[in-house]
Amino acid sequence: MRTDERAPELDRLDRQLVQALMTDGRVPFSRLAEVLGVTDQTVTRRYRRLRTEGLLRVIALPAPDRVGYHQSQLRIQCVPGAAGAIADALARRPDIAWVSINEGGAEVACMTRSRSRQERDSLLFHKLPGTRQVTGVSARTFLHMFRGGPGGWHHGDLDPEQRAALRRPPGTGRGTHPLDDTERAMLAVLERDGRAGYPELAAATGKSESTVRRRLEHLTDSGIVYFDAEVLPATLGYQAEAHISAQVAPSDLDAVGRAVGSHPEVPYAAATTGRSNLYAVVLCRDIADLYEYVTVKLGALAPITNLEVTSVLRNVKRAGMLTDGTRLYDPPPA
């Protein structure tokens, strides 16, 4: 599914609604209406239109470290002309997220979320290297996240008071919590529609509505599962996306990572293994803004001694949804 159309840009109220759902994906529409200063009917109508048109999707995501998932970023070098087919094949795997074709058109980047080390290693050491169109694979593990996960990306359409009124308390649990069959069945529904009602979750699990409500509250209150609003950056006016890899002295890594994670242009930043030990995703209005971000904001961080900026040519899959460049849509069944 491909198109040459440009993703339509959302108006201010739509952008505020997206930002609010990034802050709390399951907040009641009545509360959203109160915070945004509009009627319940307006919020409901706007949300349904955005979801129906494939411009917005609320999804549930497990915190990888809490559920025992093995998470790595892969950079896959391909023969000329093969990146599209390889990216499409990876995007249809349930254990792969954030698939993009990067600058030059011969590199695919993706993130693994494997349920076991064996599942990840099978992809990394056997399936990808055994593909004749793949010429090289590199992997790095995320050690610490500076920006990303619960709470969403603050792109400036809500003021601090509105965000504070919607923000959920952070999860308080610690340690690994392997998901059981009931929780996996719930998550399978919520990964497609994070606002699915308790009757639908009860039907999917064979449990009562009170049981699935209690289970979901436990998962979210403990920080095991969180909700995010999936949207294409272009619909918010961000046409330039890049991946940043930086080399930082270990003694400076935490301070530099926190600084980069505080930048409004950065929805995700993490410390990683590898020679380049700081990774970030950067979203800017256009290439000129990206240049200014790199030279001014990153340039002011003296501990960065080496920097690689890789432009994203096309997103194929985001956290949970496939994309044709203008819309989000469900992956086919595995």
Side-chain angles (χ1 to χ4, degrees), residues 84 129 134 175 181 189 212 248:
V134 171
D181 290 343
V189 174
V212 296
V248 183

Side-chain angles (χ1 to χ4, degrees), residues 155-219:
H155 47 79
D157 290 297
L158 293 182
D159 60 41
E161 291 76 17
Q162 289 174 311
R163 291 203 308 270
L166 294 166
R167 187 177 297 118
R168 291 178 61 92
T172 57
R174 296 178 64 86
T176 303
H177 175 95
L179 300 173
D180 62 24
D181 290 343
T182 296
E183 292 164 342
R184 290 189 188 281
M186 292 170 55
L187 193 58
V189 174
L190 294 168
E191 284 175 339
R192 298 191 304 271
D193 179 8
R195 296 187 67 86
Y198 296 113
E200 185 175 352
L201 296 177
T205 61
K207 305 293 184 180
S208 67
E209 291 186 32
S210 61
T211 295
V212 296
R213 180 191 295 270
R214 185 171 62 252
R215 286 287 194 100
L216 185 56
E217 288 175 351
H218 168 70
L219 292 174

Side-chain angles (χ1 to χ4, degrees), residues 17-299:
L17 177 58
V18 169
Q19 178 75 85
L21 290 170
M22 285 180 175
T23 306
D24 182 359
R26 284 184 70 88
V27 63
F29 283 147
S30 58
R31 181 59 173 157
L32 279 176
E34 179 184 353
V35 172
L36 298 181
V38 296
T39 66
D40 294 14
Q41 293 83 355
T42 296
V43 168
T44 303
R45 184 174 63 252
R46 292 277 184 137
Y47 172 77
R48 288 177 177 170
R49 175 180 60 80
L50 293 173
R51 192 179 189 282
T52 299
E53 294 180 0
L55 301 177
L56 170 68
R57 189 71 67 93
V58 174
I59 58 173
L61 294 169
D65 59 327
R66 297 297 313 281
V67 299
Y69 284 6
H70 296 267
Q71 183 169 299
S72 301
Q73 195 218 23
L74 306 184
R75 296 180 68 173
I76 304 160
Q77 285 70 49
C78 316
V79 300
I86 291 172
D88 287 343
L90 287 169
R92 282 164 171 75
R93 291 178 58 105
D95 60 337
I96 297 290
W98 301 104
V99 181
S100 66
I101 299 174
N102 291 347
E103 190 172 19
E107 178 183 280
V108 175
C110 67
M111 184 182 296
T112 68
R113 285 178 177 163
S114 305
R115 295 181 181 179
S116 68
R117 188 178 300 275
Q118 292 77 13
E119 184 179 62
R120 182 198 62 184
D121 290 351
S122 175
L123 174 67
L124 184 58
F125 297 125
H126 301 291
K127 294 181 180 179
L128 285 173
T131 303
R132 290 192 298 175
Q133 294 173 317
V134 171
T135 60
V137 181
S138 61
R140 55 184 170 187
T141 299
F142 293 103
L143 301 175
H144 179 77
M145 187 168 61
F146 300 109
R147 165 67 72 87
W153 169 49
H154 303 313
H155 47 79
D157 290 297
L158 293 182
D159 60 41
E161 291 76 17
Q162 289 174 311
R163 291 203 308 270
L166 294 166
R167 187 177 297 118
R168 291 178 61 92
T172 57
R174 296 178 64 86
T176 303
H177 175 95
L179 300 173
D180 62 24
D181 290 343
T182 296
E183 292 164 342
R184 290 189 188 281
M186 292 170 55
L187 193 58
V189 174
L190 294 168
E191 284 175 339
R192 298 191 304 271
D193 179 8
R195 296 187 67 86
Y198 296 113
E200 185 175 352
L201 296 177
T205 61
K207 305 293 184 180
S208 67
E209 291 186 32
S210 61
T211 295
V212 296
R213 180 191 295 270
R214 185 171 62 252
R215 286 287 194 100
L216 185 56
E217 288 175 351
H218 168 70
L219 292 174
T220 54
D221 291 346
S222 300
I224 299 164
V225 169
Y226 67 95
F227 293 89
D228 198 7
E230 192 63 76
V231 64
L232 298 179
T235 64
L236 301 174
Y238 296 91
Q239 302 292 338
E241 180 173 353
H243 296 175
I244 302 291
S245 295
Q247 189 173 3
V248 183
S251 59
D252 296 315
L253 180 57
D254 190 70
V256 172
R258 291 177 185 276
V260 172
S262 71
H263 295 163
E265 297 89 348
V266 175
Y268 184 86
T272 74
T273 58
R275 180 175 298 177
S276 296
N277 54 3
L278 178 63
Y279 169 79
V281 177
V282 177
L283 296 174
C284 294
R285 297 287 179 183
D286 51 33
I287 292 297
D289 281 351
L290 177 59
Y291 173 77
E292 182 175 357
Y293 174 75
V294 170
T295 57
V296 177
K297 287 193 174 181
L298 291 184

